[in-house]
Amino acid sequence: MQKLLLLGDEAIAQGAIDGGISGFYAYPGTPSTEIMEFVQHSKEAKEKGIPCVWSANEKTAMESAIGMSYAGKRAMAQMKHVGLNVAADAFVNASITGVNGGLIVVAADDPSMHSSQNEQDSRFYGDFALIPVLEPSNQQEAYEMAYNGFEISEKYNVPVLLRVTTRLAHSRAGVETSDKKTQREMSLPKDPRQFVLLPAIARRNYKRLLEMQASIKQASNESKYNKYIDGADKKTGIVACGIAYNYLMENFDGNCPHPVVKISQYPIPENHLRKLRSECESILVLEDGYPLVEKELRGFFNEGITINGRLNGVLPRDGELNPNIVAKALNLPFGEGEAIPEIVKNRPPSLCMGCGHRDVYNAMNEALIPYGDGRVFSDIGCYTLGALPPFNAINSCVDMGASITMAIGAADAGLVPAVAVIGDSTFTHSGMTGLLDAVIKNSPIVVIISDNSTTGMTGGQASAAKGRIVNICKGLGVDPDHIRVLNPLRKNHAENMAIIQEELAYNGLSVVIPQRECIQTAIKTKKAALKS
Amino acid sequence: MKTDIILAGVGGQGILTIAATIGMAAVNKNLYLKQAEVHGMSQRGGDVQSNLRISDKPIYSDLIAKGSADIILSVEPMEALRYLPYLRKGGYVITNIVPFNNIPDYPDTETIMNRINELPDKIALDADQIAKDTGNARASNIVMLGAAAPFLGLSIEELEGGIKSLFGRKGEEVVEMNIKALHAGYDFAKSKM
Ligand SMILES: Cc1ncc(C[n+]2csc(CCOP(=O)(O)OP(=O)(O)O)c2C)c(N)n1
Ligand code: SF4
């Protein structure tokens, strides 16, 4: 047993390594990124030859993990919550195929949207796919759930969803590790058609999944992560899910006077909840994310008991929980310090000084003056900060890859020329298929692939696009005369502006590729070079 | 003992080095620790904070409740003020006075300093200058850590141990320079108490 100081994300990575994993598959996304980064820096993972290269997107990551499971070994796919939307097709179907080697899917949710475009709750995906969901309340549980999750997956023949939220993912605490398990040998599934989801087989597999539900529920009832903790004050019983349990205990210094059901494994543990229902006059549900448990309880207990939570306004409907919100819901007094002085101004994030995206926007904005505002569709990455002053350069950011395809639709509607601005990593994540659509229709759009050779927004991970973009565009069929590579530097402003102007005037598909390395990764590379 | 610390600054200023040093010292002493960091979007020049909690008893919440922080340790003066709702009565604000001005409406320095000077319990210092004086301009973070040292519930020797654990790999010289910076901050704080 060893004690390590780990982020929640790192605890998951170490737990999986110690639990006998043979492959990690992921695309970066806050707050999940540090799982893969930890593995990539782990000597142990290197010695064991555990694959840990970034995938092109979450769907390819998920499918690779399913492939490893097919071949009998333990695998993990990690992503941020919206990444699970991208991987959803594979994810949901993996519960129908079942597994061979254990399969854990980690979804890192971001309530309060610290770095995301929504705060969707991945537990619903677990419910939807009819599989067990694990939601650690602290770093130690995160470790253990990754360590033991493969066996749960193998036992019930389903993937397991491990759901964390930003606070746990990015908070550090001491973690005790367990003995290392050995990796599994490669082995084919016993049933050679298990993974062939033809309707006849899928129907059979689905029945098996439905039959398994009773055991999966029983596992929740018996799980050591779910607990009934008695308390004398039965006026209110409390259900605390995941890290909400900590906020509750924080308020009572570890001794809650009310009966508490702690939930860290789903489906909900009906045994504990029935007991709480029978002993208490009302129930308060604390959960970080959407009111999933609260909704279930309202249906489950449809017997007139008062259930307090996010749905009736006792807790805020959106945003992450914290100790103060929990205190308020329990009518506990809490002190608040002085208000924030009025002189304190907002400090929004912004593009780094010297960032190439700045030069791209300066050139593009000027080239677009004759056409007027409202025609730039963008995407997700550092360049999304171009929406803010002083650039005010873009008009959309919806989901990864949407820039090119939205520009196609808008151009079809008559907004010509329409412009798409997308980063290199986002382009290979999900822009390439959209560009193929544009090639086929010869859409009158200008696609600007602002290529900084990295995945900047999430901290500079390797980009699958590096050195490949021009050839990808040619291969997809973009007319080479309208593939324009430029160097986004201030001294090239006039020239770059003129190139964009020319392509805006062309009534067909153009791709403009400004190429200059992200200055943050450039500094890192330089430092590393100096060292060696 | 239990100390709840809010570390504040601007993305890129490196408050996590301070957190890591305190964390190392706490772990070396077998204390419990929870440290919630901000990663992602706001690291691009936005305001960032880290909630650091150390205690000799198990800690539940990763977040510090409003009105309960013992210390706000900020490497930027306006950022120190942003977290006042978290400070408990009698808690200390320890802040660098060198502004990081990356927004168009940054208030003038005098307004900020006046507000900081109104705080009952504070230590305000020019950590950049003090770091320069010790011969290591890049160590202003460690100077700030030194200035907070009297309030952390960790001894200066224990913090030195944290520096050794954290910087040890980089060689003796780096360790020595940081320990010098630590003491410079510490001496400044002591002289104001
Ligand atoms: C489906 C999905 N996966 C991951 C993310 C997280 N994410 C946001 S931006 C980004 C990468 C951007 O890289 P790139 O397109 O190269 O632009 P840069 O930040 O380098 O400018 C990632 C991975 C997300 N928002 N959505
Ligand atoms: S991290 Fe790189 S891509 Fe992002 S704003 Fe800074 S320089 Fe630009």
Side-chain angles (χ1 to χ4, degrees):
Chain A
M1 191 195 76
Q2 210 190 346
K3 192 154 184 178
L4 304 171
L5 189 58
L6 299 176
L7 293 177
D9 274 349
E10 297 172 343
I12 291 171
Q14 189 62 51
I17 293 172
D18 295 347
I21 196 171
S22 297
F24 287 89
Y25 301 92
Y27 180 74
T30 314
S32 70
T33 312
E34 292 77 7
I35 302 174
M36 191 65 126
E37 290 187 325
F38 181 84
V39 181
Q40 290 174 340
H41 291 118
S42 156
K43 251 201 221 136
E44 185 185 356
K46 196 168 185 184
E47 279 162 19
K48 293 181 172 169
I50 299 174
C52 53
V53 175
W54 292 112
S55 302
N57 66 35
E58 292 86 355
K59 180 169 178 286
T60 64
M62 182 80 73
E63 290 157 348
S64 303
I66 297 171
M68 177 163 276
S69 166
Y70 169 92
K73 295 193 176 182
R74 294 176 168 176
M76 180 179 273
Q78 315 99 247
M79 59 207 68
K80 71 182 283 157
H81 57 342
V82 288
L84 192 48
N85 297 336
V86 176
D89 198 7
F91 171 75
V92 174
N93 288 319
S95 74
I96 314 286
T97 62
V99 304
N100 184 18
L103 174 60
I104 298 178
V105 177
V106 182
D109 292 358
D110 190 18
S112 280
M113 301 179 236
H114 299 283
S115 292
S116 305
Q117 65 270 48
N118 76 27
E119 59 172 27
Q120 67 185 58
D121 186 330
S122 298
R123 294 177 300 166
F124 279 91
Y125 266 115
D127 187 43
F128 190 47
L130 298 166
I131 61 172
V133 178
L134 302 173
E135 187 190 14
S137 68
N138 57 38
Q139 292 75 358
Q140 184 65 41
E141 279 187 355
Y143 173 87
E144 289 175 22
M145 287 173 173
Y147 181 77
N148 294 320
F150 298 112
E151 273 120 21
I152 300 178
S153 164
E154 286 153 12
K155 179 167 177 195
Y156 299 102
N157 191 15
V158 284
V160 167
L161 181 66
L162 176 53
R163 184 241 189 183
V164 291
T165 53
T166 308
R167 284 308 157 191
L168 181 57
H170 286 168
S171 173
R172 220 174 273 282
V175 172
E176 284 176 7
T177 60
S178 307
D179 293 342
K180 308 218 178 258
K181 298 180 197 167
T182 49
Q183 294 182 40
R184 288 167 50 120
E185 295 295 323
M186 194 181 85
S187 71
L188 294 177
K190 278 195 207 82
D191 170 5
R193 300 205 297 178
Q194 178 189 339
F195 285 78
V196 187
L197 293 186
L198 277 169
I201 303 167
R203 276 194 288 270
R204 186 202 63 196
N205 283 5
Y206 184 51
K207 277 216 165 42
R208 176 196 53 76
L209 176 64
L210 292 176
E211 277 159 18
M212 193 59 82
Q213 295 303 304
S215 317
I216 292 176
K217 277 188 185 165
Q218 192 52 27
S220 278
N221 287 340
E222 291 164 6
S223 167
K224 68 169 175 176
Y225 306 120
N226 295 336
K227 268 191 264 191
Y228 187 97
I229 307 154
D230 210 2
D233 184 349
K234 314 247 169 190
K235 267 217 172 65
T236 302
I238 301 172
V239 178
C241 309
I243 60 169
Y245 178 74
N246 299 338
Y247 300 142
L248 175 66
M249 288 303 156
E250 180 73 22
N251 272 293
F252 294 109
D253 234 348
N255 293 309
C256 180
H258 305 278
V260 176
V261 174
K262 168 186 180 293
I263 301 184
S264 282
Q265 180 168 344
Y266 304 81
I268 52 171
E270 292 182 4
N271 56 341
H272 299 320
L273 292 167
R274 272 188 209 290
K275 183 163 180 211
L276 193 75
R277 162 71 180 90
S278 68
E279 303 214 334
C280 299
E281 288 170 35
S282 68
I283 293 178
L284 172 67
V285 185
L286 304 172
E287 51 193 328
D288 225 354
Y290 290 2
L292 173 129
V293 172
E294 188 181 344
K295 266 191 181 157
E296 285 202 50
L297 289 189
R298 284 180 195 279
F300 192 58
F301 290 147
N302 195 11
E303 298 156 14
I305 186 172
T306 303
I307 297 173
N308 291 316
R310 289 186 186 267
L311 288 171
N312 71 343
V314 169
L315 292 162
R317 179 65 182 77
D318 63 342
E320 68 176 335
L321 297 177
N322 61 40
N324 298 98
I325 289 175
V326 170
K328 228 184 199 165
L330 286 161
N331 290 320
L332 298 173
F334 68 88
E336 189 163 333
E338 285 182 51
I340 304 177
E342 255 170 48
I343 54 167
V344 175
K345 297 290 183 270
N346 285 339
R347 203 190 289 263
S350 56
L351 291 168
C352 302
M353 285 302 153
C355 172
H357 295 321
R358 288 179 172 265
D359 299 286
V360 172
Y361 282 133
N362 285 334
M364 183 196 80
N365 277 350
E366 197 174 327
L368 274 169
I369 290 172
Y371 299 95
D373 291 340
R375 54 183 73 239
V376 181
F377 301 88
S378 191
D379 232 297
I380 308 192
C382 284
Y383 52 93
T384 316
L385 296 170
L388 307 176
F391 302 104
N392 305 312
I394 62 170
N395 308 105
S396 78
C397 158
V398 178
D399 66 274
M400 288 186 76
S403 57
I404 301 177
T405 32
M406 282 180 71
I408 294 174
D412 281 350
L415 190 68
V416 176
V419 179
V421 179
I422 186 169
D424 52 306
S425 179
T426 305
F427 178 66
T428 42
H429 176 283
S430 50
M432 298 188 294
T433 42
L435 187 60
L436 182 60
D437 283 351
V439 166
I440 289 166
K441 304 177 82 155
N442 195 27
S443 295
I445 64 174
V446 176
V447 177
I448 300 178
I449 306 176
S450 194
D451 177 10
N452 57 8
S453 301
T454 192
T455 318
M457 178 95 273
T458 43
Q461 295 77 22
S463 165
K466 191 168 179 176
R468 300 192 172 90
I469 292 182
V470 172
N471 283 335
I472 290 172
C473 293
K474 282 186 188 158
L476 288 172
V478 181
D479 178 354
D481 288 344
H482 292 281
I483 299 177
R484 311 287 297 269
V485 177
L486 44 90
N487 187 355
L489 282 170
R490 188 177 299 178
K491 65 172 193 206
N492 301 340
H493 175 78
E495 188 189 335
N496 293 342
M497 211 275 293
I499 291 174
I500 296 173
Q501 249 173 354
E502 277 170 41
E503 296 307 327
L504 284 169
Y506 169 61
N507 188 27
L509 172 64
S510 331
V511 179
V512 176
I513 311 171
Q515 288 186 317
R516 176 153 73 80
E517 191 181 3
C518 157
I519 52 171
Q520 298 296 345
T521 54
I523 292 169
K524 259 193 248 166
T525 326
K526 226 183 243 160
K527 268 192 192 157
L530 276 181
K531 251 190 214 161
S532 61
Chain B
M1 62 77 70
K2 170 172 123 356
T3 312
D4 285 344
I5 308 155
I6 299 222
L7 290 162
V10 180
Q13 280 193 306
I15 58 169
L16 294 184
T17 311
I18 304 179
T21 313
I22 300 176
M24 282 290 181
V27 168
N28 288 346
K29 203 181 167 184
N30 270 327
L31 293 173
Y32 290 93
L33 168 111
K34 279 209 173 175
Q35 184 210 335
E37 305 175 354
V38 171
H39 295 203
M41 186 83 135
S42 42
Q43 282 179 301
R44 302 272 155 280
D47 49 280
V48 292
Q49 42 68 26
S50 170
N51 285 201
L52 178 57
R53 315 189 64 197
I54 48 183
S55 172
D56 52 9
K57 288 199 225 54
I59 302 165
Y60 288 99
S61 172
D62 298 87
L63 294 178
I64 295 169
K66 284 190 179 160
S68 73
D70 300 295
I71 299 168
I72 293 173
L73 173 48
S74 180
V75 297
E76 206 278 347
M78 185 177 82
E79 294 309 320
L81 298 173
R82 195 183 299 282
Y83 301 97
L84 286 183
Y86 288 86
L87 194 65
R88 71 167 166 79
K89 277 212 179 67
Y92 257 84
V93 173
I94 297 134
T95 184
N96 191 359
I97 60 168
V98 182
F100 188 100
N101 184 347
N102 64 344
I103 48 171
D105 53 350
Y106 194 92
D108 61 58
T109 318
E110 208 184 303
T111 317
I112 294 184
M113 285 322 298
N114 286 344
R115 188 62 186 81
I116 285 176
N117 287 329
E118 281 171 25
L119 298 170
D121 303 301
K122 80 264 161 190
I123 304 241
L125 60 157
D126 185 339
D128 294 34
Q129 188 57 48
I130 296 177
K132 258 182 227 147
D133 294 345
T134 69
N136 184 5
R138 303 224 321 271
S140 66
N141 277 348
I142 302 296
V143 172
M144 287 308 303
L145 172 61
F151 312 97
L152 292 175
L154 294 165
S155 71
I156 195 82
E157 292 78 21
E158 284 160 351
L159 289 170
E160 283 181 15
I163 287 179
K164 281 177 196 149
S165 308
L166 193 68
F167 294 101
R169 271 183 311 155
K170 298 190 176 171
E172 195 55 31
E173 203 184 330
V174 178
V175 170
E176 280 312 313
M177 286 212 307
N178 280 296
I179 287 181
K180 212 163 135 194
L182 182 79
H183 278 276
Y186 184 69
D187 293 343
F188 181 92
K190 281 283 182 198
S191 74
K192 299 287 164 190
M193 286 166 69

